[in-house]
Amino acid sequence: MIILFFKRALKDFRNNRLLNLITLLTISLSILIVSAFILFFINTSEIMNFWKKGLRVMAYLKSDFPPSQLTALSGQILTLPAVETVRFISKETALNQLKSQMKRQASLFENLDKNPLPDALEIQLNAKSQSWEKVEVLATQIEALDAVQEVEYGQRWLGRFTQIFNLFRLTGYTMCGIFFMAAVFIVANTIRLVIYSRRDEIEIMRLVGAAEHFIKIPFYFQGLMQGAAGAGIALAVLFMAYWSMASNIEQGFFSGLFNVRFLSPLMAALIILLSMLVGWLGSYISLKQYLKR
Amino acid sequence: MTDTDEKRSIIRMFHVHRNYGTKKALIDITLDIFKNDFVFLTGASGAGKTTLLKLLYLAEPVSEGQVLIDGMNISRIPRKRVAFLRRKFGIIFQDYKLIANRNVFDNVSLVLEAAGKKRRLIQKRVRGVLRLVGMEDRLTALPPSLSGGEQQRIAVARAIIGDPKIILADEPTGSLDDDSANIIMKLLNGVHIRGATVIIATHDKALIRKTGGRVLLLKQGRLQGSSIIEKHYDNSIF
Ligand SMILES: Nc1ncnc2c1ncn2[C@@H]1O[C@H](COP(=O)(O)OP(=O)(O)OP(=O)(O)O)[C@@H](O)[C@H]1O
Ligand SMILES: [Mg+2]
């Protein structure tokens, strides 16, 4: 039975070649755009997360801060809702770190008679508070503490970038939605035309006792197949684009900093399913309209 | 009407009307057709023969009155059961109604596919029935490439393949030469002998005389009468 429906759908594809090709092209274009967005977001989120991991606030303590009160201060900071951990970095540790990082310039440190670095607290934010608004709030809170001389946290442009990124993501979602609907509409239209071109056949099938589902299933098959094939084409094109771009990036400026990834198999499967849903919905809409009787 | 009549009836109509707007195509038709009857529905062009058949296979609704088919009141059949009811019929349409872009095999096999039969069985049955109508070597031909008589034979093959209880034939010999007409009448006789009820709409009086059977005469939408015509051998044709 399924083979029969499959064959009929294929046959129909051949009979209405131009119409079906146009549909296929539209689906793959829409899916290409949507999945390109998804790919972009996956990779940028990855980079953002990478940067966000370094999201911490450094509180430099006043030079007259008595070490005996350190536990109390840490405890006070820990009560702030956004804080995950607090780590004390003494000025000696900091200097040693600096020295080991700057071995070549060791001569610079030779005639230091006094450690110029302040004691510091490294404050990590918890997972829920990894946003720029939260970091800023936290920073002001900590800066207000008596013992704290100065507060330093990530670069400001990263905050700006996050905002732009979020705006971009919103636009992306909207665009995806629009393309989804456009694709559904176009599939519905093709199936409608196919139904129209086959109305005599459908009428005859009815008269010889074919049940509604027997008449409808081939159209659903057609929609699903168009969806699957469209997604296949889109993903293939996207992969080729990714492949040529990724090899450029890896050799270039960003090399080693992060690697660009392609959609995971799960994501690709989801996209194919989404595209099949587009095909199915398109068929559903036009069948609903045209086979009411 | 006696009890036995009721048991034997496969089609019953009670005061059936069919109007197209103000045009009355059928007026107050009451009739009984019995199991394994061989019935001619005759009358001039426009008398309502095709309309009456359409009411039976639910292509059009009854305007007034009741129709019972095999004990079921057709106006009470839910939409989903319509297809099921239609499978009781094998219909030969006045205009054949073959699917133009599907070959002979597909046109005939459609009936069995729709009934959910197995592929292997379908293959066998289609070949068998096409052999019966003498079209077994035209399996892959498309209907438009066939002559009128050949298309008619395919239509007959499609009507009889599902072993229907009732055959509805609308001018099955309409535009055919005598030889082709004879082939088709023989086929219809064959299914009648195997137990089917056969209803043939025709205005061909010679055909009725030659074949014999029960005759229902329609005149401007009214049933004028019912009579039995004995089979009459007209040897001059052979
Ligand atoms: N869809 C329709 N709309 C309006 N009038 C119709 C329709 N179908 C049939 N009629 C009218 O109903 C009457 C009966 O038509 P029908 O087709 O049943 O005649 P018929 O006996 O089959 O004639 P023929 O021998 O020419 O096939 C005719 O007068 C026809 O014009
Ligand atoms: Mg007619």
Side-chain angles (χ1 to χ4, degrees), chain A residues 1 3-4 7-8 11 15 197-198 200-201 203-212 214 216 291-293, chain B residues 57 59 79 83-84 86-87 91 93 97-99 101-103 106-107 110-111 113-117 119 158:
Chain A
M1 205 65 164
I3 301 170
L4 178 83
K7 267 192 189 159
R8 183 144 341 134
K11 211 177 218 172
N15 289 343
S197 74
R198 286 176 51 185
D200 291 343
E201 184 179 341
E203 190 53 36
I204 292 168
M205 286 169 79
R206 278 196 172 126
L207 289 177
V208 303
E212 289 300 286
F214 181 83
K216 284 179 180 175
L291 296 182
K292 266 195 191 131
R293 288 179 305 135
Chain B
Y57 61 82
R79 240 167 51 96
F84 192 72
R86 282 184 179 145
R87 286 182 214 157
I91 310 166
F93 300 94
K97 289 206 193 300
L98 298 175
I99 301 169
N101 57 8
R102 291 223 221 154
N103 66 29
D106 288 349
N107 265 284
L110 177 64
V111 177
E113 283 169 3
K117 294 282 189 285
R119 272 161 63 83
R158 185 181 62 187

Short mmCIF file of all heavy atoms in Angstrom, two decimals, chain A residues 1 3-4 7-8 11 15 197-198 200-201 203-212 214 216 291-293, chain B residues 57 59 79 83-84 86-87 91 93 97-99 101-103 106-107 110-111 113-117 119 158:
data_model
loop_
_atom_site.label_atom_id
_atom_site.label_comp_id
_atom_site.label_asym_id
_atom_site.label_seq_id
_atom_site.Cartn_x
_atom_site.Cartn_y
_atom_site.Cartn_z
N MET A 1 0.84 -1.21 0.00
CA MET A 1 0.00 0.00 0.00
C MET A 1 0.87 1.25 0.00
O MET A 1 0.70 2.15 -0.82
CB MET A 1 -0.88 -0.03 1.27
CG MET A 1 -2.15 0.76 1.12
SD MET A 1 -3.27 0.07 -0.11
CE MET A 1 -4.76 0.92 0.33
N ILE A 3 4.00 1.48 -0.79
CA ILE A 3 4.77 1.53 -2.04
C ILE A 3 3.91 2.14 -3.14
O ILE A 3 4.36 2.97 -3.92
CB ILE A 3 5.22 0.12 -2.45
CG1 ILE A 3 6.08 -0.49 -1.34
CG2 ILE A 3 6.00 0.15 -3.77
CD1 ILE A 3 6.37 -1.95 -1.53
N LEU A 4 2.66 1.74 -3.14
CA LEU A 4 1.72 2.24 -4.14
C LEU A 4 1.59 3.75 -4.05
O LEU A 4 1.69 4.47 -5.06
CB LEU A 4 0.36 1.58 -3.92
CG LEU A 4 -0.75 2.02 -4.85
CD1 LEU A 4 -0.65 1.24 -6.15
CD2 LEU A 4 -2.11 1.79 -4.22
N LYS A 7 4.76 5.45 -5.15
CA LYS A 7 4.87 5.44 -6.61
C LYS A 7 3.98 6.50 -7.23
O LYS A 7 4.37 7.20 -8.15
CB LYS A 7 4.43 4.07 -7.14
CG LYS A 7 5.56 3.08 -7.33
CD LYS A 7 5.01 1.93 -8.13
CE LYS A 7 5.97 0.77 -8.20
NZ LYS A 7 5.24 -0.47 -8.52
N ARG A 8 2.75 6.58 -6.70
CA ARG A 8 1.81 7.54 -7.28
C ARG A 8 2.34 8.96 -7.10
O ARG A 8 2.25 9.78 -8.00
CB ARG A 8 0.45 7.37 -6.62
CG ARG A 8 -0.54 8.28 -7.25
CD ARG A 8 -1.95 7.77 -7.38
NE ARG A 8 -2.16 6.35 -7.29
CZ ARG A 8 -3.12 5.82 -6.55
NH1 ARG A 8 -3.89 6.58 -5.84
NH2 ARG A 8 -3.30 4.54 -6.54
N LYS A 11 5.08 9.56 -9.58
CA LYS A 11 4.50 9.69 -10.91
C LYS A 11 3.96 11.09 -11.09
O LYS A 11 4.15 11.73 -12.12
CB LYS A 11 3.36 8.68 -11.05
CG LYS A 11 3.17 8.16 -12.47
CD LYS A 11 2.08 7.12 -12.46
CE LYS A 11 2.38 5.98 -13.40
NZ LYS A 11 1.40 4.90 -13.24
N ASN A 15 4.64 14.10 -13.74
CA ASN A 15 3.59 14.70 -14.57
C ASN A 15 3.52 16.21 -14.44
O ASN A 15 3.21 16.91 -15.38
CB ASN A 15 2.22 14.10 -14.21
CG ASN A 15 2.09 12.67 -14.68
OD1 ASN A 15 2.86 12.23 -15.53
ND2 ASN A 15 1.13 11.97 -14.13
N SER A 197 -5.50 20.03 -11.27
CA SER A 197 -5.19 19.37 -12.54
C SER A 197 -5.65 17.92 -12.53
O SER A 197 -5.77 17.28 -13.57
CB SER A 197 -3.69 19.45 -12.85
OG SER A 197 -3.00 18.56 -12.01
N ARG A 198 -5.91 17.39 -11.35
CA ARG A 198 -6.33 16.00 -11.26
C ARG A 198 -7.76 15.85 -10.78
O ARG A 198 -8.15 14.79 -10.31
CB ARG A 198 -5.39 15.26 -10.30
CG ARG A 198 -4.02 15.01 -10.91
CD ARG A 198 -3.10 14.37 -9.93
NE ARG A 198 -3.69 13.20 -9.31
CZ ARG A 198 -3.11 12.51 -8.34
NH1 ARG A 198 -1.94 12.87 -7.91
NH2 ARG A 198 -3.71 11.47 -7.82
N ASP A 200 -10.61 15.56 -12.29
CA ASP A 200 -11.39 14.51 -12.94
C ASP A 200 -11.05 13.15 -12.35
O ASP A 200 -11.91 12.34 -12.04
CB ASP A 200 -11.09 14.47 -14.44
CG ASP A 200 -11.64 15.70 -15.13
OD1 ASP A 200 -12.50 16.38 -14.53
OD2 ASP A 200 -11.20 16.00 -16.26
N GLU A 201 -9.75 12.96 -12.22
CA GLU A 201 -9.26 11.70 -11.67
C GLU A 201 -9.79 11.47 -10.26
O GLU A 201 -10.24 10.37 -9.92
CB GLU A 201 -7.73 11.77 -11.66
CG GLU A 201 -7.08 10.51 -11.22
CD GLU A 201 -5.57 10.66 -11.26
OE1 GLU A 201 -5.07 11.57 -11.94
OE2 GLU A 201 -4.90 9.85 -10.60
N GLU A 203 -12.47 12.73 -8.98
CA GLU A 203 -13.90 12.47 -9.08
C GLU A 203 -14.15 11.00 -9.45
O GLU A 203 -14.99 10.33 -8.84
CB GLU A 203 -14.49 13.40 -10.15
CG GLU A 203 -16.00 13.43 -10.21
CD GLU A 203 -16.63 13.73 -8.86
OE1 GLU A 203 -16.04 14.52 -8.11
OE2 GLU A 203 -17.69 13.15 -8.56
N ILE A 204 -13.38 10.52 -10.42
CA ILE A 204 -13.56 9.13 -10.85
C ILE A 204 -13.21 8.17 -9.71
O ILE A 204 -13.92 7.20 -9.46
CB ILE A 204 -12.70 8.84 -12.10
CG1 ILE A 204 -13.26 9.62 -13.29
CG2 ILE A 204 -12.68 7.34 -12.40
CD1 ILE A 204 -12.37 9.65 -14.50
N MET A 205 -12.11 8.48 -9.02
CA MET A 205 -11.72 7.61 -7.90
C MET A 205 -12.84 7.53 -6.88
O MET A 205 -13.15 6.46 -6.36
CB MET A 205 -10.44 8.14 -7.25
CG MET A 205 -9.20 7.87 -8.09
SD MET A 205 -7.77 8.76 -7.50
CE MET A 205 -7.29 7.76 -6.14
N ARG A 206 -13.45 8.67 -6.62
CA ARG A 206 -14.57 8.66 -5.67
C ARG A 206 -15.70 7.78 -6.16
O ARG A 206 -16.29 7.02 -5.39
CB ARG A 206 -15.11 10.08 -5.53
CG ARG A 206 -14.34 10.92 -4.58
CD ARG A 206 -15.21 12.11 -4.25
NE ARG A 206 -14.62 12.87 -3.20
CZ ARG A 206 -14.37 14.17 -3.30
NH1 ARG A 206 -14.67 14.82 -4.39
NH2 ARG A 206 -13.82 14.80 -2.30
N LEU A 207 -16.00 7.92 -7.44
CA LEU A 207 -17.16 7.19 -7.98
C LEU A 207 -16.95 5.69 -7.98
O LEU A 207 -17.91 4.93 -7.90
CB LEU A 207 -17.49 7.68 -9.40
CG LEU A 207 -18.07 9.08 -9.46
CD1 LEU A 207 -18.28 9.52 -10.90
CD2 LEU A 207 -19.38 9.16 -8.69
N VAL A 208 -15.70 5.24 -8.08
CA VAL A 208 -15.50 3.80 -8.05
C VAL A 208 -15.27 3.29 -6.62
O VAL A 208 -14.87 2.16 -6.43
CB VAL A 208 -14.36 3.32 -8.99
CG1 VAL A 208 -14.62 3.76 -10.41
CG2 VAL A 208 -13.01 3.81 -8.49
N GLY A 209 -15.54 4.15 -5.66
CA GLY A 209 -15.55 3.67 -4.28
C GLY A 209 -14.27 3.88 -3.50
O GLY A 209 -14.04 3.22 -2.50
N ALA A 210 -13.42 4.81 -3.96
CA ALA A 210 -12.20 5.09 -3.20
C ALA A 210 -12.55 5.94 -1.99
O ALA A 210 -13.29 6.92 -2.10
CB ALA A 210 -11.18 5.82 -4.06
N ALA A 211 -12.03 5.55 -0.82
CA ALA A 211 -12.29 6.32 0.39
C ALA A 211 -11.46 7.60 0.35
O ALA A 211 -10.47 7.69 -0.37
CB ALA A 211 -11.92 5.50 1.61
N GLU A 212 -11.89 8.58 1.15
CA GLU A 212 -11.20 9.88 1.16
C GLU A 212 -9.71 9.73 1.45
O GLU A 212 -8.87 10.35 0.81
CB GLU A 212 -11.82 10.80 2.20
CG GLU A 212 -13.20 11.29 1.83
CD GLU A 212 -13.23 12.07 0.53
OE1 GLU A 212 -12.78 13.21 0.51
OE2 GLU A 212 -13.69 11.51 -0.49
N PHE A 214 -7.76 7.32 0.89
CA PHE A 214 -7.07 6.72 -0.25
C PHE A 214 -6.73 7.81 -1.27
O PHE A 214 -5.68 7.77 -1.91
CB PHE A 214 -7.98 5.67 -0.89
CG PHE A 214 -7.37 4.96 -2.06
CD1 PHE A 214 -6.52 3.88 -1.86
CD2 PHE A 214 -7.64 5.36 -3.35
CE1 PHE A 214 -5.97 3.22 -2.93
CE2 PHE A 214 -7.08 4.70 -4.44
CZ PHE A 214 -6.24 3.62 -4.21
N LYS A 216 -6.47 11.08 -0.49
CA LYS A 216 -5.65 12.14 0.11
C LYS A 216 -4.21 11.74 0.35
O LYS A 216 -3.30 12.55 0.22
CB LYS A 216 -6.27 12.58 1.44
CG LYS A 216 -7.49 13.44 1.26
CD LYS A 216 -8.05 13.80 2.61
CE LYS A 216 -9.28 14.67 2.45
NZ LYS A 216 -9.92 14.94 3.74
N LEU A 291 -11.09 19.33 -0.98
CA LEU A 291 -11.79 18.05 -0.95
C LEU A 291 -12.87 18.04 0.12
O LEU A 291 -13.07 17.07 0.81
CB LEU A 291 -10.79 16.91 -0.73
CG LEU A 291 -9.77 16.74 -1.83
CD1 LEU A 291 -8.86 15.56 -1.52
CD2 LEU A 291 -10.42 16.52 -3.18
N LYS A 292 -13.53 19.18 0.25
CA LYS A 292 -14.54 19.28 1.29
C LYS A 292 -15.68 18.31 1.09
O LYS A 292 -16.18 17.73 2.03
CB LYS A 292 -15.06 20.70 1.36
CG LYS A 292 -14.30 21.50 2.41
CD LYS A 292 -15.01 22.77 2.74
CE LYS A 292 -14.12 23.66 3.57
NZ LYS A 292 -14.04 25.01 3.10
N ARG A 293 -16.10 18.17 -0.17
CA ARG A 293 -17.28 17.34 -0.44
C ARG A 293 -17.07 15.89 -0.03
O ARG A 293 -15.99 15.35 -0.21
CB ARG A 293 -17.62 17.41 -1.93
CG ARG A 293 -18.19 18.77 -2.27
CD ARG A 293 -18.49 18.82 -3.73
NE ARG A 293 -17.31 18.48 -4.52
CZ ARG A 293 -17.31 17.66 -5.56
NH1 ARG A 293 -18.40 17.08 -5.93
NH2 ARG A 293 -16.21 17.42 -6.22
N TYR B 57 -26.02 5.83 -7.16
CA TYR B 57 -24.63 5.76 -6.71
C TYR B 57 -24.18 7.03 -5.98
O TYR B 57 -22.99 7.29 -5.83
CB TYR B 57 -23.66 5.33 -7.83
CG TYR B 57 -23.56 6.20 -9.05
CD1 TYR B 57 -22.76 7.34 -9.05
CD2 TYR B 57 -24.20 5.85 -10.24
CE1 TYR B 57 -22.61 8.12 -10.18
CE2 TYR B 57 -24.08 6.63 -11.37
CZ TYR B 57 -23.28 7.76 -11.34
OH TYR B 57 -23.15 8.53 -12.46
N ALA B 59 -24.20 10.16 -6.57
CA ALA B 59 -23.51 11.28 -7.19
C ALA B 59 -24.34 12.54 -7.00
O ALA B 59 -23.81 13.65 -7.05
CB ALA B 59 -23.28 11.02 -8.67
N ARG B 79 -21.14 10.32 5.58
CA ARG B 79 -20.21 10.60 4.49
C ARG B 79 -19.10 9.55 4.38
O ARG B 79 -18.69 9.17 3.29
CB ARG B 79 -19.58 11.98 4.72
CG ARG B 79 -19.84 12.96 3.62
CD ARG B 79 -19.46 14.35 4.08
NE ARG B 79 -18.11 14.38 4.64
CZ ARG B 79 -17.04 14.72 3.95
NH1 ARG B 79 -17.14 15.08 2.70
NH2 ARG B 79 -15.85 14.73 4.52
N ALA B 83 -18.17 5.78 0.29
CA ALA B 83 -17.23 5.03 -0.54
C ALA B 83 -17.53 3.54 -0.44
O ALA B 83 -17.52 2.81 -1.43
CB ALA B 83 -15.80 5.31 -0.11
N PHE B 84 -17.83 3.13 0.77
CA PHE B 84 -18.12 1.72 1.03
C PHE B 84 -19.36 1.28 0.25
O PHE B 84 -19.37 0.23 -0.40
CB PHE B 84 -18.32 1.54 2.53
CG PHE B 84 -18.35 0.13 2.97
CD1 PHE B 84 -17.18 -0.62 2.99
CD2 PHE B 84 -19.54 -0.46 3.35
CE1 PHE B 84 -17.20 -1.94 3.40
CE2 PHE B 84 -19.57 -1.78 3.76
CZ PHE B 84 -18.40 -2.52 3.78
N ARG B 86 -20.51 2.64 -2.45
CA ARG B 86 -20.26 2.66 -3.89
C ARG B 86 -19.57 1.39 -4.37
O ARG B 86 -19.63 1.04 -5.53
CB ARG B 86 -19.42 3.88 -4.26
CG ARG B 86 -20.25 5.14 -4.30
CD ARG B 86 -19.43 6.31 -4.75
NE ARG B 86 -20.25 7.51 -4.80
CZ ARG B 86 -19.80 8.72 -4.49
NH1 ARG B 86 -18.54 8.88 -4.16
NH2 ARG B 86 -20.59 9.75 -4.56
N ARG B 87 -18.89 0.71 -3.45
CA ARG B 87 -18.21 -0.52 -3.86
C ARG B 87 -19.19 -1.65 -4.13
O ARG B 87 -18.81 -2.68 -4.67
CB ARG B 87 -17.21 -0.94 -2.80
CG ARG B 87 -15.98 -0.05 -2.83
CD ARG B 87 -14.96 -0.47 -1.82
NE ARG B 87 -14.28 0.72 -1.31
CZ ARG B 87 -13.67 0.78 -0.14
NH1 ARG B 87 -13.66 -0.29 0.64
NH2 ARG B 87 -13.09 1.87 0.24
N ILE B 91 -19.98 0.54 -12.07
CA ILE B 91 -20.68 1.52 -12.89
C ILE B 91 -20.00 1.69 -14.24
O ILE B 91 -18.78 1.87 -14.33
CB ILE B 91 -20.72 2.89 -12.18
CG1 ILE B 91 -21.21 2.73 -10.73
CG2 ILE B 91 -21.61 3.85 -12.94
CD1 ILE B 91 -20.98 3.94 -9.86
N PHE B 93 -20.11 4.31 -17.06
CA PHE B 93 -20.64 5.65 -17.26
C PHE B 93 -20.91 5.90 -18.74
O PHE B 93 -20.24 5.36 -19.62
CB PHE B 93 -19.66 6.69 -16.72
CG PHE B 93 -19.39 6.54 -15.26
CD1 PHE B 93 -18.29 5.80 -14.81
CD2 PHE B 93 -20.23 7.09 -14.32
CE1 PHE B 93 -18.04 5.64 -13.46
CE2 PHE B 93 -19.98 6.94 -12.95
CZ PHE B 93 -18.89 6.22 -12.52
N LYS B 97 -15.69 7.79 -18.38
CA LYS B 97 -14.94 8.27 -17.22
C LYS B 97 -13.69 7.43 -16.94
O LYS B 97 -13.47 6.94 -15.83
CB LYS B 97 -15.82 8.29 -15.96
CG LYS B 97 -16.88 9.37 -15.98
CD LYS B 97 -17.28 9.77 -14.57
CE LYS B 97 -18.55 10.60 -14.54
NZ LYS B 97 -18.42 11.86 -15.30
N LEU B 98 -12.85 7.31 -17.95
CA LEU B 98 -11.54 6.69 -17.73
C LEU B 98 -10.55 7.81 -17.41
O LEU B 98 -10.72 8.94 -17.88
CB LEU B 98 -11.10 5.92 -18.97
CG LEU B 98 -12.01 4.76 -19.38
CD1 LEU B 98 -11.55 4.15 -20.70
CD2 LEU B 98 -12.08 3.70 -18.30
N ILE B 99 -9.55 7.50 -16.61
CA ILE B 99 -8.55 8.52 -16.26
C ILE B 99 -7.56 8.62 -17.42
O ILE B 99 -6.86 7.65 -17.75
CB ILE B 99 -7.83 8.17 -14.95
CG1 ILE B 99 -8.86 8.06 -13.82
CG2 ILE B 99 -6.78 9.20 -14.62
CD1 ILE B 99 -8.32 7.47 -12.53
N ASN B 101 -4.72 10.12 -18.09
CA ASN B 101 -3.26 10.01 -18.03
C ASN B 101 -2.79 8.78 -17.26
O ASN B 101 -1.65 8.70 -16.84
CB ASN B 101 -2.66 11.28 -17.44
CG ASN B 101 -3.22 11.60 -16.07
OD1 ASN B 101 -3.96 10.79 -15.50
ND2 ASN B 101 -2.87 12.75 -15.53
N ARG B 102 -3.70 7.82 -17.10
CA ARG B 102 -3.27 6.55 -16.50
C ARG B 102 -3.60 5.42 -17.46
O ARG B 102 -4.63 5.44 -18.11
CB ARG B 102 -4.00 6.32 -15.18
CG ARG B 102 -3.56 7.31 -14.14
CD ARG B 102 -3.38 6.60 -12.84
NE ARG B 102 -3.90 7.41 -11.76
CZ ARG B 102 -4.34 6.90 -10.62
NH1 ARG B 102 -4.37 5.59 -10.44
NH2 ARG B 102 -4.76 7.69 -9.68
N ASN B 103 -2.71 4.46 -17.51
CA ASN B 103 -2.88 3.43 -18.53
C ASN B 103 -4.02 2.48 -18.18
O ASN B 103 -4.64 2.57 -17.11
CB ASN B 103 -1.56 2.69 -18.79
CG ASN B 103 -1.11 1.89 -17.58
OD1 ASN B 103 -1.93 1.43 -16.79
ND2 ASN B 103 0.20 1.72 -17.45
N ASP B 106 -3.82 0.57 -14.87
CA ASP B 106 -4.07 1.40 -13.69
C ASP B 106 -5.54 1.77 -13.56
O ASP B 106 -6.08 1.82 -12.46
CB ASP B 106 -3.23 2.68 -13.76
CG ASP B 106 -1.76 2.40 -13.52
OD1 ASP B 106 -1.45 1.26 -13.10
OD2 ASP B 106 -0.93 3.28 -13.76
N ASN B 107 -6.16 2.07 -14.71
CA ASN B 107 -7.58 2.43 -14.66
C ASN B 107 -8.42 1.30 -14.07
O ASN B 107 -9.35 1.55 -13.31
CB ASN B 107 -8.08 2.76 -16.07
CG ASN B 107 -8.04 4.24 -16.36
OD1 ASN B 107 -8.87 4.98 -15.88
ND2 ASN B 107 -7.02 4.67 -17.10
N LEU B 110 -7.48 0.32 -10.21
CA LEU B 110 -7.89 1.33 -9.24
C LEU B 110 -8.99 0.84 -8.30
O LEU B 110 -8.93 1.07 -7.08
CB LEU B 110 -8.37 2.57 -10.01
CG LEU B 110 -8.92 3.73 -9.18
CD1 LEU B 110 -7.84 4.29 -8.31
CD2 LEU B 110 -9.46 4.81 -10.10
N VAL B 111 -9.97 0.14 -8.87
CA VAL B 111 -11.11 -0.33 -8.07
C VAL B 111 -10.64 -1.24 -6.94
O VAL B 111 -11.07 -1.11 -5.79
CB VAL B 111 -12.11 -1.08 -8.96
CG1 VAL B 111 -13.26 -1.63 -8.14
CG2 VAL B 111 -12.61 -0.17 -10.07
N GLU B 113 -7.50 -1.51 -5.78
CA GLU B 113 -6.61 -0.76 -4.88
C GLU B 113 -7.44 0.00 -3.86
O GLU B 113 -7.14 0.00 -2.66
CB GLU B 113 -5.75 0.22 -5.67
CG GLU B 113 -4.61 -0.46 -6.40
CD GLU B 113 -3.94 0.48 -7.38
OE1 GLU B 113 -4.33 1.66 -7.46
OE2 GLU B 113 -3.04 0.02 -8.10
N ALA B 114 -8.49 0.65 -4.36
CA ALA B 114 -9.34 1.44 -3.47
C ALA B 114 -10.01 0.55 -2.42
O ALA B 114 -10.27 0.98 -1.31
CB ALA B 114 -10.39 2.19 -4.28
N ALA B 115 -10.25 -0.70 -2.80
CA ALA B 115 -10.88 -1.62 -1.85
C ALA B 115 -9.85 -2.27 -0.94
O ALA B 115 -10.20 -3.13 -0.13
CB ALA B 115 -11.66 -2.69 -2.62
N GLY B 116 -8.57 -1.90 -1.12
CA GLY B 116 -7.52 -2.39 -0.24
C GLY B 116 -7.09 -3.82 -0.50
O GLY B 116 -6.62 -4.50 0.40
N LYS B 117 -7.22 -4.26 -1.74
CA LYS B 117 -6.80 -5.63 -2.07
C LYS B 117 -5.28 -5.74 -2.20
O LYS B 117 -4.59 -4.75 -2.46
CB LYS B 117 -7.46 -6.07 -3.37
CG LYS B 117 -8.98 -6.19 -3.28
CD LYS B 117 -9.39 -7.47 -2.59
CE LYS B 117 -10.88 -7.72 -2.68
NZ LYS B 117 -11.69 -6.86 -1.79
N ARG B 119 -1.57 -6.62 -3.67
CA ARG B 119 -1.01 -6.35 -4.99
C ARG B 119 -1.00 -7.56 -5.91
O ARG B 119 -1.30 -7.46 -7.10
CB ARG B 119 0.42 -5.83 -4.84
CG ARG B 119 0.49 -4.34 -4.67
CD ARG B 119 1.80 -3.92 -4.08
NE ARG B 119 2.94 -4.25 -4.93
CZ ARG B 119 3.33 -3.50 -5.96
NH1 ARG B 119 2.70 -2.41 -6.27
NH2 ARG B 119 4.37 -3.85 -6.68
N ARG B 158 -13.55 -2.40 -15.73
CA ARG B 158 -13.44 -1.73 -14.44
C ARG B 158 -14.71 -1.94 -13.61
O ARG B 158 -14.65 -2.09 -12.40
CB ARG B 158 -13.20 -0.22 -14.64
CG ARG B 158 -12.96 0.51 -13.34
CD ARG B 158 -12.76 1.98 -13.55
NE ARG B 158 -13.95 2.59 -14.13
CZ ARG B 158 -14.01 3.84 -14.55
NH1 ARG B 158 -12.94 4.62 -14.50
NH2 ARG B 158 -15.11 4.32 -15.06
#
